[in-house]
Structure formats: C-alpha cells, structure tokens
Amino acid sequence: MAKDSTGRLHVTVKTGGKRKLSSKLWLERQLNDPYVAKAKREGYRSRSAYKLVEIDDKYRILKPGMSVVDLGAAPGGWSQIAAKRVGAADGQGKGKGKVIAVDVLEMPEIAGVSFAQLDFLAEDAPEKLRAMIGGRVDAVLSDMAANTTGHRKTDQLRILGLVEGAAAFASEVLNPGGTFLAKAFQSGADAELLAQLKRDFSSVRHVKPASSRQDSSERYVLATGFRGRPK
Ligand code: SAM
C-alpha cells in the first residue's frame, strides 16, 4: 500500500463490478480522510464536528449555560460538540445549557439535545421551533446543505435559500449579543444577505476551517454581537 505525503497509508479502491467511478472516488476519500478516522476514534458522528470545534476554538462562541439551535443537525456531530461546550447534559443548575436540534432526517438521541425531525423550509417550521425554544437563544448554528442537483445556478439558489431562512430565523430568536453561524458557499450571490447581517450584527466574517475540504467552495459565515430586534 502506498503512503501519502504525510506518511499515512493511502487506501485505493478498485472500480469494476457495480461500483461506479464516482463511488470509488467517494470511498477512497472517506477511507483516506484523517478527520473521518479521528471522528470514529473520538466518538463523533461526523467529520463536520471538527469544523465547529475549530471555529469555536478560535472565536469562542459556545459557553457553558448557553442555549443553542442547531439547524440541519443530522447525524449529530455539531450537536455533540455544542451539547458538550454549553454543558447541556450536565444535570440541573448553573451552567446547564440547552441544545435544540432539527433535521429533515432522523437523528439518534444525544444526551442533553432536544431534537425534532422537520423540514426547516416548511411553512410551520419556525413556529414549531419557537415553541421548542420557549424564549430566546444565544446562538443559531446552521450546517444545512441541500442535496445538489448538478445544475450550478439551481444549487446556489437552494443553498442561499437555506442560509437566508436561517438568518431570518436567527434575527427573530437571538438574544442581544447572540451569534449566527451558517454554512454558505462561495458564489457571490450572497451580497444582500451579507449586507443585512452587517446591519444586524456588530461583526460579520467568512471562515473556512482547515477541516472543511480545501477543494470545496464551502465556507461559513460567522456573525457575532446581534444588535437585537428593532423595536
Ligand atoms: N452538522 C451536521 C453534523 O455535524 O453531523 C452535518 C449536517 S449535513 C452537512 C447537512 C444536513 O442538513 C443534512 O442532514 C440534511 O438533511 C439537512 N438539511 C438540508 N435541508 C434541510 C431542511 N430544509 N431542513 C432541515 N434539515 C435540512
């Protein structure tokens, strides 16, 4: 077996039989991805967990006692990290945070996380979520990503629709000083969204954690210091 530039063994998968080239490449990438291996070792449900770890280690957005909404939470890596960092499973009392997670897919239980299976874009979703929150939250996180169609313009619009919806929801439920973190993609189509976030938050930046695949246009928008809803 060959070694890659970091000295790790590189696994190659054969094509042939029923396996198409695209599945061969996907499988090879999974088998050789250090974050996939790390997530397995450390008990996280997704390699995405490390994106939130990196962003939070740098910008300190999650603190004990906070309440957090996790949109597009399945299979649960971000919820696991958020629950740990806000102390959602720490029993009663001071420092006990709260995580409310939703996804259109099912998600196996995580201690300290309240989960609802729903489509965030459904008309009644924001109302259902507000009922689960029962007040305001300190952070709205969204790692939502729609399945791609292969048609670039359509995919960009769908992604933008999810981020815009998440941002609008964040501005309804965040406490003043709150944080909004959402998956976005480099498309240039999000100028209006960024302008709105800059009006609503004291700081807005794009972040690309090292664990976000460097060959993808994925990036995150991080808005901190929510100014509060206009009276
Ligand atoms: N952060 C997650 C983790 O660490 O395990 C990974 C999230 S995955 C990249 C994106 C998720 O967004 C998928 O589970 C998908 O089902 C969800 N999603 C996409 N569109 C959605 C929608 N309209 N409503 C709710 N969830 C959605």
Side-chain angles (χ1 to χ4, degrees), residues 57-131:
D57 283 351
K58 184 156 182 198
Y59 298 103
R60 304 276 165 210
I61 55 179
L62 301 171
K63 300 193 180 80
M66 276 186 163
S67 40
V68 174
V69 169
D70 182 11
L71 303 172
W78 279 33
S79 282
Q80 286 177 297
I81 299 295
K84 208 178 210 174
R85 296 195 172 193
V86 303
D90 289 352
Q92 300 298 317
K94 215 171 157 234
K96 182 172 160 56
K98 192 165 144 182
V99 178
I100 293 123
V102 297
D103 202 290
V104 72
L105 302 176
E106 279 179 37
M107 183 170 93
E109 211 173 297
I110 297 173
V113 177
S114 312
F115 175 72
Q117 185 176 2
L118 55 86
D119 179 352
F120 178 71
L121 296 179
E123 215 174 302
D124 57 349
E127 195 187 320
K128 283 187 181 158
L129 255 171
R130 274 196 298 271

Side-chain angles (χ1 to χ4, degrees), residues 195-216:
Q196 194 209 315
L197 289 174
K198 282 180 184 159
R199 282 194 296 272
D200 292 350
F201 292 82
S202 61
S203 157
V204 179
R205 49 164 65 84
H206 279 119
V207 288
K208 171 105 179 154
S211 48
S212 171
R213 291 190 165 108
Q214 298 307 302
D215 59 353
S216 97

